[in-house]
């Protein structure tokens, strides 16, 4: 199963709304083949592993280790559970049950009803944290991310961007983007930082949906770096758009966009995770709405002082948000602190 987990991680950034899954075939104590889900819409891990076996006889009576329950439905590919039955597997060891209701134990039931021995370990849920969260909680998993100084400031002065993190922390934040299906920034961050909100080195097709929250979509000009890449852009506006935008830009209009409204829109499009990168006030609104599931902070060894902009600053109801014990990693001269909401 450890090998299957390593295989699954190879699909990071390319499986889109599908889970990352790895599979290993073993017979007579010998590893016969391995595989993983390479890309959304292509073969699942089980079928990829089968495509790597030397001959059909090598899987009859074999055991498959797979990080998530084999599917039991026709989607973009046929049911994997049917294929495993057809190939004559004796045993299937499953890392976790698929929480998606169209599967949710049906693949395991189909295997067992056909005489295949199934063992469920429940050890691979960390592979697809947001996927599991989405189907268990019925909303996307929300991560807040920011870089700050030792005195808790994220900007030196209003209206100007301050580079706080070093190269190692900036590279790590790219990995964090890759783990999420949508990225959100507010109007001030969009206009001040002029971000691309892309993941470097990732295929255009599977870039996160880049979301900006503005008062008036007509104030968004096409000269921004956001529009240099044709991966999807969503503009959440309080005013209808009269300006013409490229085809990859979609404008959604609502009188007021609250955090719950943003998550409802993502859920309608089956997006399972949201990274809130800025600004400070939008992050504070998610905290106030009790909708922060993970918080990632990059702390740089600098002090800004004065009137620098504080992190997560804005509306508050006075309640404390409690998180579990932090994970702390050193990245160059910076510290990365990751906390998850206490359950």
């Amino acid at each position: 199963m450890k090998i299957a987990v390593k295989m699954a991680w190879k699909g990071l950034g390319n499986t889109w709304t599908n889970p990352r899954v790895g599979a290993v075939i073993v017979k007579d104590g010998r590893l016969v083949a391995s595989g993983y889900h390479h890309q959304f819409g292509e073969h699942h891990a089980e079928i990829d592993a089968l495509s790597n076996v030397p001959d059909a006889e090598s899987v009859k009576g074999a055991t498959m280790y797979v990080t998530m329950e084999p599917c039991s439905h026709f989607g973009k590919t046929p049911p994997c559970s049917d294929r495993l039955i057809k190939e004559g597997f004796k045993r299937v060891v499953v890392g976790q049950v698929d929480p998606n209701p169209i599967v949710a134990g049906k693949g395991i039931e189909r295997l067992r009803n056909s005489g295949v021995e199934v063992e469920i370990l429940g050890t691979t849920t960390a592979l697809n944290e947001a996927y599991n969260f989405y189907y268990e909680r019925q909303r996307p998993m929300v991560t807040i991310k920011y870089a700050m100084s030792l005195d808790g400031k994220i900007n030196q002065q209003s209206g100007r961007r301050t580079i706080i993190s070093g190269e190692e922390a900036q590279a790590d934040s790219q990995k964090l983007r890759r783990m999420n299906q949508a990225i959100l920034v507010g109007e001030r961050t969009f206009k001040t930082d002029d971000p691309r909100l892309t993941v470097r080195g990732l295929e255009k097709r599977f870039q996160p949906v880049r979301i900006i929250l503005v008062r008036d979509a007509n104030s968004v000009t096409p000269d921004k770096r956001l529009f240099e890449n044709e991966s999807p852009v969503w503009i959440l506006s309080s005013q209808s758009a009269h300006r013409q935008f490229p085809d990859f830009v979609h404008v959604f209009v609502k009188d007021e966009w609250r955090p719950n409204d943003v998550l409802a829109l993502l859920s309608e499009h089956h997006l399972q995770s949201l990274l809130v990168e800025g600004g400070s006030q939008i992050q504070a609104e998610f905290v106030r709405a009790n909708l922060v599931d993970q918080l990632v902070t990059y702390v740089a060894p600098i002090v800004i002082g004065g009137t620098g902009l504080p992190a997560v600053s804005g509306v508050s109801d006075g309640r404390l948000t409690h998180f579990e014990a932090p994970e702390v990693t050193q990245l160059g001269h910076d510290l990365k602190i990751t906390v998850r909401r206490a359950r």
Side-chain angles (χ1 to χ4, degrees):
M1 189 61 74
K2 288 181 179 178
I3 297 171
V5 168
K6 288 181 180 179
M7 295 299 296
W9 279 114
K10 291 184 177 183
L12 177 62
N14 291 320
T15 62
W16 194 225
T17 54
N18 282 353
R20 291 177 285 275
V21 183
V24 170
I25 299 170
V26 175
K27 187 175 182 180
D28 300 328
R30 181 175 59 90
L31 193 152
V32 176
S34 59
Y36 67 99
H37 183 34
H38 289 243
Q39 187 167 289
F40 180 79
E42 294 186 357
H43 290 317
H44 289 183
E46 301 92 324
I47 309 307
D48 186 54
L50 282 167
S51 70
N52 294 323
V53 300
D55 56 75
E57 288 301 314
S58 61
V59 300
K60 291 191 183 303
T63 295
M64 174 172 281
Y65 292 82
V66 60
T67 58
M68 185 171 285
E69 172 185 7
C71 66
S72 55
H73 64 288
F74 282 89
K76 292 183 179 296
T77 60
C80 292
S81 53
D82 288 358
R83 179 69 183 274
L84 300 187
I85 294 165
K86 180 182 177 182
E87 295 291 344
F89 278 89
K90 178 182 179 181
R91 180 168 171 255
V92 176
V93 181
V94 176
Q96 75 152 98
V97 176
D98 192 336
N100 188 334
I102 61 175
V103 186
K106 300 181 184 71
I108 291 169
E109 182 181 17
R110 187 173 296 191
L111 289 167
R112 284 174 171 165
N113 288 343
S114 298
V116 180
E117 179 188 344
V118 179
E119 181 181 354
I120 305 168
L121 299 181
T123 58
T124 59
T125 54
L127 257 176
N128 296 286
E129 187 177 12
Y131 177 88
N132 292 324
F133 185 100
Y134 177 79
Y135 285 109
E136 291 165 2
R137 304 295 183 92
Q138 308 301 310
R139 70 163 176 83
M141 179 177 169
V142 176
T143 299
I144 280 183
K145 183 270 287 187
Y146 55 85
M148 72 176 189
S149 60
L150 288 172
D151 56 338
K153 306 294 177 62
I154 62 172
N155 246 342
Q156 217 167 350
Q157 64 184 75
S158 179
R160 292 184 62 184
R161 184 186 182 196
T162 303
I163 304 297
I164 292 178
S165 300
E167 291 183 4
E168 293 90 343
Q170 290 179 38
D172 189 81
S173 70
Q174 287 286 312
K175 296 178 184 177
L176 187 60
R177 284 184 176 182
R178 196 171 186 177
M179 293 289 292
N180 285 271
Q181 293 166 1
I183 301 172
L184 171 69
V185 297
E187 187 166 7
R188 182 179 297 177
T189 300
F190 169 64
K191 292 181 177 178
T192 301
D193 293 357
D194 192 17
R196 291 186 178 90
L197 300 181
T198 54
V199 180
R200 290 192 293 270
L202 192 63
E203 286 186 46
K204 183 183 74 173
R205 180 183 173 194
F206 299 110
Q207 289 283 351
V209 174
R210 299 168 295 157
I211 307 174
I212 56 173
L213 184 57
V214 300
R215 288 182 294 275
D216 185 357
N218 300 291
S219 69
V220 178
T221 56
D223 58 337
K224 294 294 185 180
R225 296 196 299 171
L226 190 77
F227 303 109
E228 294 175 0
N229 183 290
E230 294 184 1
S231 55
V233 171
W234 291 2
I235 301 176
L236 311 188
S237 173
S238 300
Q239 304 288 333
S240 297
H242 308 298
R243 182 188 295 276
Q244 188 70 29
F245 289 101
D247 291 341
F248 61 87
V249 178
H250 304 275
V251 179
F252 299 90
V253 180
K254 193 176 184 64
D255 290 341
E256 185 177 0
W257 285 96
R258 299 181 180 88
N260 274 312
D261 300 319
V262 175
L263 296 188
L265 179 64
L266 265 65
S267 293
E268 288 175 21
H269 291 79
H270 310 292
L271 299 181
Q272 301 153 8
S273 55
L274 173 66
L275 179 62
V276 183
E277 288 204 357
S280 183
Q281 185 169 339
I282 288 178
Q283 293 174 341
E285 288 174 358
F286 273 87
V287 170
R288 184 187 188 191
N290 199 28
L291 290 172
V292 180
D293 307 299
Q294 179 176 247
L295 193 149
V296 178
T297 306
Y298 298 97
V299 183
I302 59 174
V303 173
I304 291 176
T307 58
L309 181 65
V312 195
S313 176
V315 292
S316 172
D317 57 9
R319 291 184 301 172
L320 296 177
T321 303
H322 293 278
F323 292 90
E324 296 176 350
E327 300 171 13
V328 182
T329 308
Q330 182 142 4
L331 299 170
H333 294 297
D334 302 328
L335 291 181
K336 175 187 179 183
I337 302 173
T338 304
V339 291
R340 291 177 173 79
R341 190 161 77 174
R343 304 301 179 195

